[in-house]
Amino acid sequence: LDFINKLNPQQRSAVTAADGPVMVVAGPGSGKTRVLTQRIAYLIAHEGVRPWQILAVTFTNKAAKEMDERVKSILNEQATKGMMLGTFHSICARILRREAEHLPVAQNFVIFDADDQQSLVKSIIRELNLNEKLYRANSVHASISRAKNELIQPDDFPINTYRDEVVKRVYTEYQKRLIASNAVDFDGILVYATQLMETNPTVREKYAQRFRHVLVDEFQDTNLAQYALVKHL
């Protein structure tokens, strides 16, 4: 474990912290992600934690790939086998495919990208005979996306203006069509995963028992759905 000797005292105390919640606050470029990576290596090599008991979440694919490579370079590929490391979306998608029986979509659901989402919203706006100049697809979709990230379902979408009413109608139809296409959008991946943990104690317990250590990079950037998910675990 010679990597620990290369850490400064603050980094070392974060890497070797005892069980329980730990928050690392430090400026950009001061090595927070490195600390997180080395904490994983420390837990496996020193504390005897099994790799599959660790969940490590990042915000970008680039950061996830980098963390994965760093952990493997400290330990080895075999020692990290079974660890769940990735972005919020990729980890939630993996969980949803395993737990598809509890979802309104099948296990082989497709994930709509930004273009798919926009064109679906656009076609709904047309079919509802709405003014496309007044209700632009990207703006309506942004409102739907915001609602999802705040865990607001179509039925609960708050109406304060006429525009809200229109967005609610589009959102309701958008959600129906996604399900009919056996599809989810990016925001929906988080919503479904959070709902699954919220409404299904057996599933929640299974993952909460499995993941003894949940490590989140850039925790301050979590939205409500991501925060709720971490809290359930």
Side-chain angles (χ1 to χ4, degrees), residues 120 123-125 127-128 144 154 167-180:
L120 180 55
S123 63
I124 293 167
I125 288 171
E127 283 169 43
L128 294 176
I144 293 172
V167 171
K168 181 173 182 162
R169 277 164 64 201
V170 176
Y171 184 8
T172 305
E173 190 54 36
Y174 173 78
Q175 210 41 42
K176 278 186 195 155
R177 300 230 185 147
L178 280 176
I179 293 167

Side-chain angles (χ1 to χ4, degrees), residues 112 115-130 132 135 137 170 173-174 177:
F112 272 20
D115 290 345
D116 300 327
Q117 295 167 41
Q118 290 277 358
S119 53
L120 180 55
V121 170
K122 198 174 243 178
S123 63
I124 293 167
I125 288 171
R126 277 191 191 144
E127 283 169 43
L128 294 176
N129 289 319
L130 296 165
E132 288 182 56
Y135 302 105
V170 176
E173 190 54 36
Y174 173 78
R177 300 230 185 147

Side-chain angles (χ1 to χ4, degrees), residues 76-142:
N76 62 54
E77 200 139 340
Q78 202 49 41
T80 59
K81 210 171 164 63
M83 180 172 65
M84 219 184 242
L85 188 157
T87 61
F88 270 103
H89 291 92
S90 70
I91 283 165
C92 287
R94 273 151 80 181
I95 290 174
L96 292 179
R97 292 201 194 275
R98 286 179 189 175
E99 308 297 338
E101 63 192 278
H102 307 292
L103 303 175
V105 288
Q107 186 181 27
N108 61 346
F109 62 79
V110 292
I111 298 171
F112 272 20
D113 65 17
D115 290 345
D116 300 327
Q117 295 167 41
Q118 290 277 358
S119 53
L120 180 55
V121 170
K122 198 174 243 178
S123 63
I124 293 167
I125 288 171
R126 277 191 191 144
E127 283 169 43
L128 294 176
N129 289 319
L130 296 165
N131 182 334
E132 288 182 56
K133 286 202 173 76
L134 211 53
Y135 302 105
R136 296 190 180 278
N138 58 354
S139 161
V140 172
H141 178 261

Side-chain angles (χ1 to χ4, degrees), residues 88-89 92 149 186-195 223 225-226:
F88 270 103
H89 291 92
C92 287
N149 283 319
F186 286 132
D187 302 312
I189 291 172
L190 298 177
V191 174
Y192 279 140
T194 307
Q195 278 178 335
N223 61 35
Q226 291 161 336

